[in-house]
Amino acid sequence: MVKDRSWREHLFNACNVLIMLILIVFTLYPFWYSVIGSFNEGADYARGGVYLFTRQFTWDNYSALFSDSALIRAFGVTVARTVIGTFTHIVFTAMFAYAFSRQNLKYRKFYSMLGLSSMYLSGGMIPFFILINSLGLYNHFLVFIIPALFSFWNVILFRSYFAELPEALIESAKIDGAGEYTIFFKFILPLSKPVIAAVSLFTAVGHWNAYYDAMIYTFGDHLQTVQLYILKLVQSTEAALLLANMSGTVGTAHSTVTTTTLQLSAMVAASLPIVLIYPFVQKYFIKGMLIGSVKG
């Protein structure tokens, strides 16, 4: 009986490992395919057959890509909105969640009803556009920051974590004369690294990948984000025009760089920052995602 159970366990583990490996391959291969294509010469890549490794290595695709001042500007806008937007979202949402987690907050149920209704109901794109325009945010950098200051879903995550902190900590701080702001910034936030890391990662990825708000609420290239730049680049006419403009600065651009390899390079360059940052917040992110899952 023991031998039979051991055999079944080994079979299950083998099947489990096989399925996980297949999922990993299907998940990572599209990114790997973009990477090897971005480092391959354009004319050689157009012949096909580049599936696992680069056949003719070259840096010309990235040289051509980063010779475009519009991309550098787009990276600057995206980095600025990601850093500022994530920081302000964490501070604003966490402060609201801390007040919302206090049992003595007046009209607590009313705030909860308003917050939950905002998760399911929306005025629609046209009323929101009119609101943005009336507030003077249209074609302004703050259109990326102010509408993203608050998320009730993240309030729920923060509130669940704050509820698990010992009440005695807050009471002892008040006895020592600490005010609410002192308690929040010096006690609550330092103890909330897991949930801050989880929400920060969600928010940062959202800001980094955003393109729709830049496409709808801005015009021109001065507030263009990286993802909007790639969206335009994926359109063959835009990529061909960009390639023609850059041909004088990249030497033999027409033979080593094509619109396809240029698009692959842009996608890899836009994805790489998030891929590099994730390992540093992974341990906090996993712990933050388990908030409220175990009670005891």
Side-chain angles (χ1 to χ4, degrees), residues 39-52:
F39 284 107
N40 203 89
E41 287 190 357
D44 177 74
Y45 183 83
R47 300 204 316 263
V50 181
Y51 300 119
L52 293 178

Side-chain angles (χ1 to χ4, degrees), residues 1 10-11 16 24 42 53 75 77 83 112 123 154 164 177 179 193 217-218 251 255 258:
M1 191 72 178
H10 286 304
L11 179 61
N16 193 25
I24 290 173
F53 302 102
F75 261 109
V77 171
V83 173
S112 179
N154 291 337
E164 296 180 356
K193 291 180 180 178
Y217 305 120
T218 66
S255 61
T258 64

